[in-house]
Amino acid sequence: MENIFGSTAQECAQIMKALGEPAYRGKQLFEWLYSKKATDFAEMTNLSKSLREKLAENFVLGHGTIVKCQEDPVDHTRKYLIALADGSCIETVLMSYHHGHSLCVSSQVGCSMGCAFCASTRGGKVRDLSAGEILDQIFLVEQDAGVRVANVVIMGIGEPLDNFDNVVKFIGLANEGLGIGQRKITLSTCGLVPQIEALADLDLQINLAISLHAPFQDRREILMPIAKKYSLNALIKVCNNYFTKTKRRITFEYALIDGFNDRPEDINELTALFKGVPCHINLIGLNPVTESVYKGSQNVNFFSDELKKRGLTCTIRRKIGDNIDAACGQLRLKHKENEER
Ligand code: SAH
């Protein structure tokens, strides 16, 4: 049976219509699911008992299960391993800042993009998450931690633009159902050019982040197989179109790798690439992944200072959750390996 959690306001109205009920019942159902956080049809007391029974005959109201939660003793970042209805596991990370709570959600079970430094892609993609399964990560963590999530970053396991429709539906649901404004949502992509174009056409107010990681085509191809399909030139072009259409400044993520992309020529090339482009560069310390040849750079501060000297806007991502495998699919990977042993 279909899970009713994840239905949009319009879908809730259609469900009620199909059951011979007036449209406003759809609104009540929507409120029960997202604002009142019902976990059972029986709780929906402003719907008649027979209607609740009819709903229960046609749908399930299901949520994932938190299998594990690790908290970093120093910065209190919490990493959750969540089991879905089919037994697949995903990760969600809750980060607490002085300005509020941010949640990093997964968009797929595994990932097929194959980036060389990323743990999420080992083992490939199992399947896409539904919009409800992405939203459920916020639902489950808010309940478990007793907090309200203010910001959402779609930077967990998976490539969100490889699951375009469900991710766009999720953004709508987070907005309408949980009251999280589009400007509080960041979508990070490895650079799927046609989907970035399609996203620009939707004219959303979300923040777009692009995983760049190298300013040279050949080096980017070594790190990110997707670069062979969509060149750096095509990516920069579509990003410029995106900015023209949405007026939203793009963030470029850059994980600094020792000797690979932290060289003087990388600084020069980045400067040339982004001169006059309204964007923001976010430098990331590489998180070590087992059996990877890539090591984190020691030059993060130097690199940042040099880019700033050349007029680029640049920040260094605060390293959090280091003690709890918080980065990029490492907890799921370890869990999977333990189960397979
Ligand atoms: N697929 C999307 C979102 C998930 S990855 C994307 O590629 O953007 C989220 C971010 O973490 C990306 O910038 C990704 O390149 C980065 N990342 C992955 N593994 C990493 C690692 N070991 N160290 C640092 N950043 C990493």
Side-chain angles (χ1 to χ4, degrees), residues 104-105 107-108 111 113 115 117-120 154-161 187-191 209-213 224 253-256 284-289 317 327-328 330:
C104 176
V105 298
S107 57
Q108 297 178 317
C111 182
M113 296 297 129
C115 296
F117 48 81
C118 182
S120 299
I154 314 173
M155 284 193 191
I157 296 170
E159 168 47 48
L161 294 186
L187 184 155
S188 175
T189 176
C190 63
I210 307 280
S211 299
L212 184 72
H213 303 319
M224 308 174 72
E253 295 159 283
Y254 198 97
L256 280 161
I284 311 171
L286 186 81
N287 286 300
V289 182
R317 184 179 296 169
C328 322
Q330 295 182 39

Side-chain angles (χ1 to χ4, degrees), residues 261-325:
N261 64 3
D262 65 347
R263 307 160 305 158
E265 52 263 58
D266 296 306
I267 295 172
N268 292 337
E269 193 65 15
L270 276 172
T271 311
L273 205 57
F274 291 129
K275 211 166 180 88
V277 179
C279 69
H280 177 113
I281 299 173
N282 195 209
L283 299 176
I284 311 171
L286 186 81
N287 286 300
V289 182
T290 37
E291 289 162 35
S292 170
V293 293
Y294 299 109
K295 301 281 169 282
S297 167
Q298 302 300 314
N299 293 335
V300 181
N301 289 321
F302 171 78
F303 203 86
S304 165
D305 291 343
E306 289 300 311
L307 290 181
K308 282 183 194 157
K309 269 191 217 159
R310 289 164 171 78
L312 299 185
T313 313
C314 159
T315 46
I316 300 172
R317 184 179 296 169
R318 186 161 73 101
K319 262 203 143 209
I320 54 172
D322 250 10
N323 308 314
I324 53 164
D325 299 323

Side-chain angles (χ1 to χ4, degrees), residues 1 75-76 86 89 157 171 196 277 334:
M1 264 197 300
D75 61 33
H76 302 295
D86 68 351
C89 280
I157 296 170
I171 293 168
I196 295 171
V277 179
K334 278 197 185 165

Side-chain angles (χ1 to χ4, degrees), residues 72-327:
D72 187 307
V74 181
D75 61 33
H76 302 295
T77 295
R78 280 191 181 189
K79 178 150 201 165
Y80 289 91
L81 190 71
I82 294 172
L84 307 170
D86 68 351
S88 304
C89 280
I90 50 163
E91 293 177 12
T92 304
V93 183
L94 178 69
M95 296 158 287
S96 300
Y97 302 101
H98 59 271
H99 59 265
H101 299 281
S102 250
L103 196 68
C104 176
V105 298
S106 293
S107 57
Q108 297 178 317
V109 181
C111 182
S112 63
M113 296 297 129
C115 296
F117 48 81
C118 182
S120 299
T121 200
R122 307 261 173 102
K125 177 175 106 171
V126 179
R127 68 171 175 89
D128 288 332
L129 294 186
S130 68
E133 285 172 326
I134 307 173
L135 192 75
D136 199 24
Q137 297 168 55
I138 307 177
F139 184 97
L140 290 170
V141 171
E142 280 191 336
Q143 303 247 313
D144 182 80
V147 299
R148 169 125 172 68
V149 168
N151 296 283
V152 176
V153 293
I154 314 173
M155 284 193 191
I157 296 170
E159 168 47 48
L161 294 186
D162 183 41
N163 184 15
F164 191 91
D165 292 344
N166 289 329
V167 167
V168 169
K169 186 176 171 188
F170 156 74
I171 293 168
L173 276 171
N175 198 193
E176 267 188 280
L178 302 181
I180 300 173
Q182 286 185 3
R183 284 169 182 254
K184 303 281 183 190
I185 300 176
T186 300
L187 184 155
S188 175
T189 176
C190 63
L192 303 184
V193 168
Q195 285 90 331
I196 295 171
E197 193 80 64
L199 197 64
D201 288 337
L202 296 179
D203 202 12
L204 301 176
Q205 289 298 295
I206 59 166
N207 308 302
L208 181 63
I210 307 280
S211 299
L212 184 72
H213 303 319
F216 292 104
Q217 176 65 23
D218 54 350
R219 296 224 159 192
R220 197 163 181 269
E221 282 184 17
I222 295 171
L223 292 180
M224 308 174 72
I226 195 69
K228 292 180 197 145
K229 194 164 177 191
Y230 303 115
S231 72
L232 197 52
N233 284 342
L235 180 61
I236 299 297
K237 195 166 159 226
V238 80
C239 287
N240 286 335
N241 291 348
Y242 186 92
F243 178 77
T244 308
K245 275 194 186 148
T246 64
K247 297 285 174 291
R248 303 286 297 160
R249 201 165 63 139
I250 294 177
T251 296
F252 289 90
E253 295 159 283
Y254 198 97
L256 280 161
I257 302 171
D258 186 37
F260 188 87
N261 64 3
D262 65 347
R263 307 160 305 158
E265 52 263 58
D266 296 306
I267 295 172
N268 292 337
E269 193 65 15
L270 276 172
T271 311
L273 205 57
F274 291 129
K275 211 166 180 88
V277 179
C279 69
H280 177 113
I281 299 173
N282 195 209
L283 299 176
I284 311 171
L286 186 81
N287 286 300
V289 182
T290 37
E291 289 162 35
S292 170
V293 293
Y294 299 109
K295 301 281 169 282
S297 167
Q298 302 300 314
N299 293 335
V300 181
N301 289 321
F302 171 78
F303 203 86
S304 165
D305 291 343
E306 289 300 311
L307 290 181
K308 282 183 194 157
K309 269 191 217 159
R310 289 164 171 78
L312 299 185
T313 313
C314 159
T315 46
I316 300 172
R317 184 179 296 169
R318 186 161 73 101
K319 262 203 143 209
I320 54 172
D322 250 10
N323 308 314
I324 53 164
D325 299 323

